[in-house]
């Protein structure tokens, strides 16, 4: 069955860095767009970053541009999110997602908590 398993979350001070990983299984990873989303307490889930099949197209939310970097390794069925210069407002549960298009994600992970202290 399809699985997306995130890891790498944790507690970090403002200005620090974290690297999230998401390992996929149960589908042909290289055929899917991969993305990261996040949901803060009391807020709706929001798009963070997305990467196309061959990483030729990459999109970021304005709030993370210049600080976060999404990448993928199709040989390892893994997508990464490098997060630098973290801010308290980045605190959220971060979800990995897979889809056939950048605007249509169909598979979701369970999420990993990121907490940034001020």
């Amino acid at each position: 069955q399809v699985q997306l398993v995130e890891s790498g979350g944790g507690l970090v001070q403002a200005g620090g860095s974290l690297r999230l990983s998401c390992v996929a299984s149960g589908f042909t990873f290289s055929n899917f767009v991969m993305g990261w989303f996040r949901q803060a307490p009391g807020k709706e889930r929001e798009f963070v970053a997305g990467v196309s099949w061959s990483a030729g197209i990459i999109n970021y939310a304005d709030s993370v541009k210049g600080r976060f970097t999404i990448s993928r390794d199709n040989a390892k069925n893994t997508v990464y999110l490098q997060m630098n210069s973290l801010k308290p407002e980045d605190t959220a549960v971060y979800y990995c997602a897979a889809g056939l298009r950048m605007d249509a994600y169909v598979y979701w992970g369970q999420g990993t908590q990121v907490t940034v202290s001020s």
Side-chain angles (χ1 to χ4, degrees):
Q1 72 276 23
V2 171
Q3 280 194 311
L4 295 172
V5 180
E6 302 99 334
S7 62
L11 174 64
V12 64
Q13 288 189 331
S17 298
L18 283 174
R19 188 194 196 202
L20 305 183
S21 300
C22 172
V23 179
S25 60
F27 62 98
T28 305
F29 181 79
S30 58
N31 288 351
F32 279 71
V33 169
M34 297 301 297
W36 287 96
F37 291 74
R38 67 186 181 187
Q39 186 167 20
K43 295 188 176 181
E44 293 187 354
R45 187 158 55 188
E46 65 175 357
F47 171 80
V48 174
V51 58
S52 64
W53 312 271
S54 62
I57 298 173
I58 292 177
N59 292 325
Y60 294 100
D62 287 344
S63 58
V64 307
K65 280 181 182 176
R67 300 188 299 121
F68 290 10
T69 303
I70 188 171
S71 61
R72 66 187 295 162
D73 185 338
N74 288 344
K76 295 182 178 180
N77 285 5
T78 302
V79 61
Y80 305 96
L81 185 68
Q82 177 67 43
M83 304 186 296
N84 298 329
S85 301
L86 282 161
K87 305 175 181 179
E89 51 263 45
D90 294 319
T91 294
V93 177
Y94 283 71
Y95 297 90
C96 170
L100 294 176
R101 303 194 316 266
M102 285 280 193
D103 60 349
Y105 291 89
V106 295
Y107 301 137
W108 295 85
Q110 293 301 304
T112 185
Q113 177 70 47
V114 171
T115 303
V116 184
S117 63
S118 56

